[in-house]
Amino acid sequence: MSTLKPYLYLALAIVFEVIGTTALKESDGFTRLGPSIVTAVAYAISFAALALTLKTIPVGLAYAIWSGVGIVLIATVGWFRFRQTLDTPAIVGLGLIIVGVVIINAFSKSLPH
């Protein structure tokens, strides 16, 4: 597997996790069929892509990147789509998550480079 492929799978896993979480909010507690189906399908794709990622990237680091980037993206979606505000501590915390993901990717020798 090329060194780029696991990162493509990881990016796909992140995108579908964000789609699934957005649809989960729109499902209104699984009372709306369309968003409920999107949630299930998006999470299934996300986990399948994450599983492919784990063939190459160590589970702890892959999960840290997947969840960290997902947190930041879904907070951004919440801000714009659902008008959910973020206060200064939330924004600082999200910034620290981004810094953590950058440090993992830039300096970890455990990742395929």
Side-chain angles (χ1 to χ4, degrees):
M1 188 180 288
S2 77
T3 56
L4 184 60
K5 210 171 204 179
Y7 290 101
L8 293 174
Y9 289 139
L10 185 56
L12 189 68
I14 292 166
V15 167
F16 277 95
E17 187 270 332
V18 171
I19 291 168
T21 303
T22 302
L24 182 62
K25 167 71 173 151
E26 292 178 342
S27 77
D28 196 27
F30 293 115
T31 60
R32 297 179 57 220
L33 182 60
S36 297
I37 291 170
V38 170
T39 298
V41 170
Y43 281 151
I45 294 169
S46 177
F47 282 115
L50 185 60
L52 292 171
T53 301
L54 298 180
K55 288 183 173 186
T56 306
I57 299 176
V59 67
L61 297 178
Y63 190 78
I65 296 166
W66 178 74
S67 60
V69 174
I71 288 166
V72 172
L73 289 177
I74 200 61
T76 304
V77 168
W79 178 276
F80 288 106
R81 185 172 184 117
F82 303 117
R83 306 284 183 228
Q84 298 170 342
T85 59
L86 299 171
D87 60 9
T88 301
I91 293 169
V92 170
L94 291 168
L96 290 171
I97 291 170
I98 293 168
V99 169
V101 170
V102 169
I103 288 171
I104 289 169
N105 281 292
F107 300 108
S108 177
K109 297 195 184 319
S110 299
L111 295 174
H113 292 279

